[in-house]
Amino acid sequence: MNQQKSKAGAEPIVRMNKLNKHFGDFHVLQDIDLRVATGEVVVVIGASGSGKSTLIRCVNGLEEFQQGELDVDDSPLLPYGKATQALQKIRTEVGMVFQQFNLFPHLSVLDNVILAPMKVRGQDRETAVATGERLLERVGISDQIHKYPTQLSGGQQQRVALARALAMEPRLMLFDEPTSALDPEMIGEVLDAMRELANDGMTMMIVTHEMGFAREVADRVIFIDKGRIVEEGPPETIFDQPVEAATQSFLSRVLKH
């Protein structure tokens, strides 16, 4: 399968060549070839258990792979069992927002956001606070800055998690089904924050079941089935004119709802 050209000629920030990942006897990722260009928004879709989340978790080393090549921002991640010096660098340059919010309940909203920049990047508190306040305003919860996570709705907590990831000034943002744990009425506010981020040119890899959102924000949609990239292309092609039978079957099921 030919890879789509890099967005506006940009260099790929993620390169995968023949990437393979096993969980015991289960071959969860099979010969994945993928490029993600700087500034590109790539949305990964597929059925539960198809390998979507594992794919993006490999990008920041949360999952190790067994065979193949993976390079993130010119830093190679090595297969399972091989030491790499790149992991810490990659994790400072790649932000991730998970299904669960993973906020520290004993810290205020602001302190959750500024902790990593101070501890990992060595920012002084004044600088970190100024950045944190700006980011919390950007995601629309500056009025909740002194509250604690348990005092917030799920949508508000997820927007704090987004601000926390952005506080590390990442070059790439990963989203692993960020709205799947939210009540339906809270999904829109998180998608709005992500939509603004995409409009600002952030490089993003997004695993989501929100097909309308995928159609709107993606530069490219990737459909994974049983650990393989079956089809990829612009959203209008994937959603309106899918070629592969597996893609057609999947979309016929999910677009009914």
Side-chain angles (χ1 to χ4, degrees), residues 1-31:
M1 183 182 299
N2 292 327
Q3 298 292 336
Q4 181 172 316
K5 289 183 179 179
S6 297
K7 187 175 182 181
E11 284 297 312
I13 191 170
V14 177
R15 298 181 181 89
M16 294 183 181
N17 294 314
K18 302 300 179 189
L19 194 78
N20 285 269
K21 165 71 179 175
H22 303 262
F23 289 123
D25 293 332
F26 179 41
H27 198 171
V28 63
L29 295 177
Q30 303 183 43
D31 290 332

Side-chain angles (χ1 to χ4, degrees), residues 183-209:
D183 293 332
E185 63 270 19
M186 298 175 185
I187 290 174
E189 61 193 54
V190 174
L191 295 181
D192 285 344
M194 293 171 63
R195 192 176 287 112
E196 286 192 22
L197 199 59
N199 290 338
D200 288 344
M202 174 63 75
T203 311
M204 302 165 71
M205 294 181 69
I206 305 169
V207 171
T208 185
H209 291 293

